[in-house]
Amino acid sequence: VETISLRALIKTVISRWKLILILMVIGGLITSAVYFLRKPVYTATTVISIDPSVLTGNTTPTFIISGDEIKEEVAEKFNLDLLSLPPITVITDKADKSISSISLESKNQQLAIEMANFWGKTAVSWILENMNQSTDLEAATKEVNAVTSELNNYLQSHNLGDLSWYELILITGVSTPESISLSSLTKDLPPVTAKQRIELSEILRKKEAAEWNYSIISQDILSNQYQANLRVRVVNKAIEAEDTSILGSIIMIPLGLFIGLLIALIWIF
């Protein structure tokens, strides 16, 4: 096996230094041309904060932000179809689960900034409009309506439809938050059996409980909506978009020099 001494290698490299230099310069020029002539790809990032308590079930920020409802609004805003929208990357902070960053790429720097910001703003607006408390309120409303309907049906079926709310309270003894002057009710009450009194009392108590639940949920929603800008909000808007493509790195120029050197050494040996 033929071996080459280190001294011989150094001597060969020195004797071919012009060739090595030329190939290194050519490699550097090629990668420099690629660097300066290519079309850059810009990445813009918007950061939003979403209080996990406003999300229902196992819903995640990524699922909502990447959802079709948000995409449709973004596409309409920028006159694009859904398939033309740039892909987005949603990353939730591991230390703070309420923080999510939305990043997207575009060859248009200004478009990347505007679209990232609008995407974040739209996601925040959508979440605020669909917070889980609205579902609780709907359920409470249905409960109140159901009990009210049950009471009305009972009164009609037992020929007690003419009874006023005050008379029902006097008959059943069920309390009410409203102030009632019992002395002002001088009208004789219609005859009601003991069984009817018990049944009416039960229905009125259910109605009172349903209305109390509705009131509590309503107050909670008003309180949450008042602080909505703290619970779901845009933390940082995208101000600039960086060229994050692989070819966009300045390291391409020294890389070209290294490739030229490598080719030269292979050529020589």
Side-chain angles (χ1 to χ4, degrees):
V1 179
E2 183 180 355
T3 58
I4 302 175
S5 66
L6 179 59
R7 179 177 298 179
L9 285 175
I10 296 175
K11 184 177 180 180
T12 302
V13 170
I14 294 174
S15 64
R16 297 293 186 91
W17 70 270
K18 290 183 179 180
L19 176 61
I20 295 173
L21 181 60
I22 291 172
L23 291 177
M24 288 181 63
V25 170
I26 291 175
L29 289 175
I30 291 175
T31 52
S32 297
V34 172
Y35 174 73
F36 289 109
L37 298 178
R38 72 186 170 73
K39 291 184 178 180
V41 177
Y42 296 99
T43 299
T45 300
T46 296
V47 180
I48 65 176
S49 173
I50 304 172
D51 185 342
S53 67
V54 307
L55 302 178
T56 58
N58 295 322
T59 304
T60 63
T62 301
F63 179 79
I64 294 176
I65 295 169
S66 305
D68 289 340
E69 296 89 346
I70 310 299
K71 288 182 178 179
E72 288 172 1
E73 290 194 41
V74 175
E76 181 179 357
K77 169 69 175 179
F78 294 94
N79 297 318
L80 299 172
D81 56 65
L82 290 178
L83 296 178
S84 299
L85 285 176
I88 65 168
T89 301
V90 181
I91 300 177
T92 300
D93 192 294
K94 293 182 179 180
D96 186 351
K97 298 296 184 181
S98 68
I99 300 297
S100 296
S101 62
I102 306 170
S103 301
L104 59 82
E105 296 180 346
S106 174
K107 293 182 179 179
N108 185 315
Q109 185 177 23
Q110 189 60 33
L111 179 63
I113 296 172
E114 292 178 1
M115 189 174 291
N117 287 334
F118 185 78
W119 207 304
K121 178 182 176 182
T122 303
V124 166
S125 299
W126 189 92
I127 293 171
L128 288 175
E129 291 174 2
N130 295 273
M131 289 167 62
N132 60 4
Q133 285 86 356
S134 62
T135 303
D136 296 337
L137 184 63
E138 290 175 5
T141 302
K142 290 180 180 179
E143 184 181 5
V144 171
N145 292 338
V147 177
T148 302
S149 178
E150 180 184 357
L151 176 61
N152 291 335
N153 291 337
Y154 184 91
L155 293 175
Q156 293 298 329
S157 63
H158 291 80
N159 297 319
L160 298 173
D162 294 334
L163 285 177
S164 67
W165 179 251
Y166 298 131
E167 289 171 335
L168 284 173
I169 293 173
L170 287 176
I171 292 172
T172 61
V174 176
S175 62
T176 175
E178 298 180 18
S179 177
I180 300 176
S181 176
L182 300 182
S183 60
S184 65
L185 298 174
T186 57
K187 178 181 176 181
D188 294 334
L189 299 177
V192 176
T193 65
K195 180 181 178 181
Q196 290 175 337
R197 182 177 289 105
I198 293 173
E199 292 172 342
L200 280 172
S201 298
E202 182 179 348
I203 296 175
L204 287 181
R205 286 191 178 92
K206 288 197 297 184
K207 180 176 174 62
E208 186 180 51
E211 290 176 343
W212 178 85
N213 184 52
Y214 176 86
S215 174
I216 294 298
I217 293 175
S218 298
Q219 293 175 11
D220 184 52
I221 289 177
L222 289 175
S223 175
N224 289 340
Q225 288 179 344
Y226 179 74
Q227 299 179 354
N229 61 328
L230 299 179
R231 306 181 72 203
V232 183
R233 59 195 175 95
V234 176
V235 178
N236 287 321
K237 287 185 176 181
I239 300 176
E240 59 183 15
E242 297 181 351
D243 183 358
T244 54
S245 63
I246 296 176
L247 295 179
S249 175
I250 196 66
I251 198 175
M252 285 299 296
I253 296 176
L255 179 61
L257 297 174
F258 174 77
I259 292 174
L261 174 61
L262 186 62
I263 293 174
L265 293 176
I266 293 174
W267 191 322
I268 292 173
F269 298 105

